[in-house]
Amino acid sequence: MALADIKAKIKSDSQAQIKAIEEENDAKVRAVSQKVNAEIKSIQDSYAARLAKEEPEVLKRREIVAELDAKRVDLGTRQKLVSEAFEAALKQLTELPAEKYAGFAERLLNEAVATGKEVMFTGKNEKCLDQNWLEKYNSAHNTSITLSTEKLDIAGGFVLRNDRIDTNCSWEMLLSDARSEIETGVVKRLFE
């Protein structure tokens, strides 16, 4: 065999080997590509299934949160309206005609007096419960209640002090006490 024939044989064998390696590599690449594509499709399908499963739940949660927000706003509005109703009641108490105002205060004072020697504190803008009114009360009830010169920050009514015990008969305190008892009824009247 001649040298040229040997070279041609080596070249031919090398070419066949290269072609076999390339075909083997192409087959491996196709197998890996198919496997990767199958995994990608599997992941996409699982995400799509998970999304389809969770989407209604997410939407339901959003709806629940929106309803809670709406209820919170509604409750805030209702609370504001109830507060405004009690503020209007306080205003009505402070604007009672003098005779009714004094009569109401007298009934409260009758309930609050313990010794008849207490000190009465009134509000800064008090017009009805003055020294003359208190003197009439004292003579009618045989008491010696004194009127303090110190004025309180109350809309109306009074605070009666017996030593270290204060009995708060201010309009604000009366409405606060009444509010806890009647608020449910007020809410029903306003919103039903």
Side-chain angles (χ1 to χ4, degrees):
M1 230 195 195
L3 184 60
D5 291 336
I6 294 174
K7 281 184 180 181
K9 171 98 169 110
I10 291 174
K11 188 175 179 183
S12 165
D13 288 345
S14 296
Q15 298 262 336
Q17 256 186 337
I18 289 172
K19 188 174 181 182
I21 291 172
E22 284 177 348
E23 288 175 0
E24 185 182 328
N25 283 340
D26 287 345
K28 286 180 181 179
V29 166
R30 279 192 301 277
V32 168
S33 290
Q34 287 175 349
K35 186 176 179 183
V36 167
N37 288 335
E39 284 183 35
I40 290 172
K41 181 160 180 13
S42 172
I43 291 170
Q44 286 175 335
D45 290 346
S46 74
Y47 279 134
R50 187 171 155 196
L51 176 63
K53 180 181 175 186
E54 291 181 6
E55 186 176 28
E57 187 63 32
V58 169
L59 293 175
K60 185 177 180 181
R61 280 190 228 133
R62 283 186 179 174
E63 186 177 312
I64 289 169
V65 169
E67 284 178 21
L68 288 174
D69 286 344
K71 285 180 180 180
R72 186 176 52 243
V73 168
D74 182 52
L75 178 61
T77 302
R78 288 177 184 229
Q79 287 174 336
K80 182 180 177 195
L81 288 173
V82 168
S83 292
E84 287 174 2
F86 279 97
E87 288 170 14
L90 177 63
K91 186 176 183 204
Q92 283 183 335
L93 275 173
T94 60
E95 294 175 354
L96 279 173
E99 188 177 300
K100 286 184 178 185
Y101 187 101
F104 184 50
E106 183 174 348
R107 288 192 300 279
L108 289 173
L109 190 54
N110 288 338
E111 294 291 322
V113 169
T115 65
K117 296 180 182 181
E118 291 88 351
V119 177
M120 186 170 85
F121 295 83
T122 59
K124 294 176 182 174
N125 298 319
E126 183 61 57
K127 295 177 184 167
C128 294
L129 306 181
D130 56 13
Q131 188 63 43
N132 291 334
W133 179 84
L134 189 55
E135 286 173 5
K136 289 177 190 174
Y137 180 87
N138 282 333
S139 67
H141 295 90
N142 199 24
T143 57
S144 57
I145 299 169
T146 56
L147 184 63
S148 175
T149 56
E150 180 185 343
K151 300 295 182 180
L152 303 177
D153 191 20
I154 58 176
F158 59 90
V159 174
L160 197 62
R161 181 170 291 159
N162 181 13
D163 289 325
R164 292 187 218 166
I165 300 171
D166 286 352
T167 304
N168 190 341
C169 294
S170 67
W171 297 165
E172 292 92 341
M173 181 57 72
L174 294 173
L175 284 174
S176 175
D177 286 347
R179 183 174 183 161
S180 63
E181 294 174 19
I182 65 172
E183 188 167 21
T184 303
V186 170
V187 169
K188 283 182 182 178
R189 285 185 185 170
L190 286 175
F191 303 109
E192 289 185 356

